[in-house]
Amino acid sequence: MTDMRYPFPKAIIFDWDNTLVDSFPVVYDAAVTAYKAFGVTPPTYEELLSCQGFSLRDSFPQIFGDKWEDARQAYLDAFEAMHLKRMKPMPDAFQMLKYAADKVDCLCVVSNKTGRILRDEADFLNWTPFFYSIVGSFDAPADKPAPDAAMFALKGTDIIDENGKLTAPVWFVGDGAVDMQCARNIGACGVYVSEKPFDEHTICVKNCTRLLDLLRSYE
């Protein structure tokens, strides 16, 4: 299973939603609340699923225009009312993170979810100790796929030099094209969590179970 084109990582950056936790049903219900509150026809579940990945500050201005900040607050209010009750870890996510934390020097989360909410979820799952940093939307000057958040997540480590370049192998694990583009933008190896491959330059694993198998294959 090991492919020596992709050296074992010194750091792994993880996406959060639908990579480590199953949260899209909550995302969808909160989005529908915001859409309806501002008189916009909500997308179907499949339509929103197909275009997920961008942060609210990047996507909502296109949908709600100059009312996007109010719509964002409506979304956040709805989301926070239910997310901790309904969020579920992906199968084997905990086991994978436990193994990775023991074998990899640095684990981070970089998500386009609002940073405060993201960290609340990590705390709720008791996963915060796994990570060197947990970075969400608005924590850095720009969100994924821009490199800012990922570079901010690695700040203070020896994995980036004074010019902001990676000094060691880094994997960026996520389920969306936004994640794979962010991986490219920082010079990391993209690890695409999906049933379907992304491209010939990207590792593809179906789920956290297969990612755990991949990490173990380097022993």
Side-chain angles (χ1 to χ4, degrees):
M1 189 173 183
T2 303
D3 188 330
M4 294 313 297
R5 291 179 301 168
Y6 309 109
F8 191 82
K10 183 164 184 167
I12 301 178
I13 300 172
F14 292 95
D15 175 46
W16 186 255
D17 292 314
N18 306 312
T19 297
L20 297 177
V21 300
D22 181 7
S23 56
F24 190 75
V26 184
V27 170
Y28 180 73
D29 288 348
V32 168
T33 297
Y35 275 71
K36 289 183 175 179
F38 288 85
V40 180
T41 302
T44 66
Y45 190 92
E46 291 73 20
E47 287 170 343
L48 191 62
L49 184 62
S50 69
C51 64
Q52 66 159 333
F54 290 96
S55 66
L56 298 181
R57 69 168 163 179
D58 288 335
S59 61
F60 268 32
Q62 301 176 42
I63 301 166
F64 300 102
D66 59 6
K67 295 183 179 180
W68 78 269
E69 291 180 291
D70 292 332
R72 173 180 176 267
Q73 191 59 52
Y75 170 89
L76 293 176
D77 289 345
F79 187 88
E80 289 191 84
M82 56 184 163
H83 72 125
L84 295 181
K85 299 175 184 176
R86 294 175 57 187
M87 176 186 61
K88 298 178 182 178
M90 288 295 195
D92 287 334
F94 173 80
Q95 290 83 351
M96 181 274 295
L97 288 172
K98 185 177 180 181
Y99 181 87
D102 184 55
K103 300 294 184 180
V104 180
D105 288 359
C106 178
L107 305 183
C108 304
V109 172
V110 173
S111 170
N112 278 343
K113 174 173 280 178
T114 299
R116 172 181 54 81
I117 295 176
L118 175 66
R119 289 182 284 275
D120 285 347
E121 293 184 352
D123 285 344
F124 181 78
L125 293 170
N126 294 316
W127 287 3
T128 300
F130 286 134
F131 303 111
Y132 171 76
S133 62
I134 301 175
V135 176
S137 182
F138 286 94
D139 290 336
D143 301 323
K144 296 184 298 186
D148 304 57
M151 291 293 98
F152 182 74
L154 295 171
K155 186 177 180 180
T157 72
D158 62 357
I159 299 165
I160 53 173
D161 63 21
E162 63 275 10
N163 298 313
K165 303 295 184 181
L166 298 183
T167 63
V170 174
W171 289 3
F172 199 121
V173 179
D175 70 312
V178 166
D179 302 307
M180 299 304 97
Q181 184 60 53
C182 191
R184 286 199 186 98
N185 288 343
I186 66 169
C189 171
V191 180
Y192 190 49
V193 182
S194 175
E195 295 281 344
K196 300 178 181 179
F198 189 77
D199 61 31
E200 67 273 17
H201 305 296
T202 302
I203 299 173
C204 182
V205 293
K206 292 182 180 180
N207 47 42
C208 289
T209 305
R210 294 293 175 259
L211 178 56
L212 176 57
D213 290 343
L214 175 62
L215 291 169
R216 284 174 170 163
S217 74
Y218 283 81
E219 292 184 349

